């Protein structure tokens, strides 16, 4: 049994963790309490609330970072006479803009995940319709494919390209 399955089994065996979901709201649950929930409760209202809160917090963090980038780029636009210093500043700006571009793409995925929560599709694989799994969703709340479907997709991309 892999470590994460052993950990999950231990969490399910702990009665405090296994029953915490009955008395707590989704927003107040910990990762361990979420993982200890019975499989029959997969994507119930509390789990959906847990992931909605997590996704919204991540979205707010990304949006505040975007504002900081704008301020940072405005601050450093002063004229620097030394070409080496100017090149360094331009490289820092380029790196920051690439980072923000990745974050912009992540924001789109977060919005899609929030839409899937509202429509009731969140937590289920787009290809197979099977549960994605709580462990995978905790690691990557924007996941749309089960681990197996993602591995198949990556293998196809490796073999045949995009």
């Amino acid at each position: 049994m892999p470590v994460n399955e052993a950990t999950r089994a231990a969490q399910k065996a702990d009665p405090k963790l296994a029953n915490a979901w009955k008395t707590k709201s989704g927003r107040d649950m910990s990762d361990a309490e979420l993982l200890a929930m019975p499989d029959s409760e997969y994507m119930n209202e509390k789990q959906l609330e847990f992931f909605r809160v997590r996704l919204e917090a991540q979205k707010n963090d990304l949006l505040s970072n975007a504002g900081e980038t704008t301020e940072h780029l405005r601050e450093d636009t002063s004229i620097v006479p030394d070409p080496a210093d100017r090149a360094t500043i331009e490289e820092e700006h380029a790196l920051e803009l690439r980072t923000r571009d990745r974050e912009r793409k992540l924001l789109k995925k977060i919005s899609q995940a929030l839409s899937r929560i509202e429509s009731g599709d969140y937590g289920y694989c787009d290809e197979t319709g099977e549960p994605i799994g709580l462990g995978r969703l905790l690691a990557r709340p924007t996941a749309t494919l089960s681990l197996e479907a993602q591995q198949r997709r990556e293998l196809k991309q490796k073999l045949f390209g995009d």
Side-chain angles (χ1 to χ4, degrees):
M1 182 182 326
V3 175
N4 58 355
E5 287 181 31
T7 304
R8 188 162 181 206
Q11 288 168 343
K12 284 190 181 284
D14 183 350
K16 288 181 185 174
L17 286 177
N19 293 317
W21 69 275
K22 293 178 181 176
T23 58
K24 287 188 172 183
S25 70
R27 81 176 51 249
D28 297 329
M29 290 174 48
S30 69
D31 291 4
E33 291 167 339
L34 183 83
L35 288 170
M37 290 177 74
D39 292 338
S40 61
E41 296 297 326
Y42 187 72
M43 288 302 123
N44 67 8
E45 281 302 313
K46 291 186 181 188
Q47 287 185 359
L48 291 173
E49 180 185 6
F50 176 89
F51 286 109
R52 183 182 303 112
V53 168
R54 182 164 281 195
L55 286 162
E56 287 173 351
Q58 191 176 9
K59 180 179 178 180
N60 291 336
D61 287 346
L62 291 173
L63 290 173
S64 70
N65 286 348
E68 291 172 14
T69 296
T70 304
E71 289 302 315
H72 183 249
L73 293 176
R74 281 189 191 140
E75 288 172 4
D76 290 345
T77 55
S78 60
I79 298 171
V80 180
D82 184 25
D85 289 343
R86 191 169 41 244
T88 300
I89 290 171
E90 288 175 6
E91 186 61 33
E92 287 173 356
H93 286 182
L95 179 62
E96 196 161 354
L97 289 171
R98 282 194 304 267
T99 300
R100 294 303 165 248
D101 188 50
R102 283 194 300 273
E103 289 177 352
R104 179 187 55 80
K105 291 174 184 173
L106 180 57
L107 274 171
K108 184 178 176 185
K109 288 182 180 184
I110 289 171
S111 294
Q112 290 169 344
L114 289 168
S115 296
R116 285 195 315 274
I117 287 174
E118 296 308 316
S119 69
D121 296 332
Y122 185 78
Y124 296 93
C125 180
D126 282 353
E127 283 185 10
T128 65
E130 295 176 4
I132 292 174
L134 293 175
R136 178 156 166 74
L137 289 171
L138 283 170
R140 188 177 192 94
T142 58
T144 59
L145 299 173
S146 66
L147 189 58
E148 295 79 17
Q150 182 67 34
Q151 288 171 335
R152 279 193 305 274
R153 178 174 284 182
E154 289 172 2
L155 183 60
K156 281 183 187 176
Q157 286 176 342
K158 185 178 178 183
L159 292 174
F160 305 112
D162 288 335

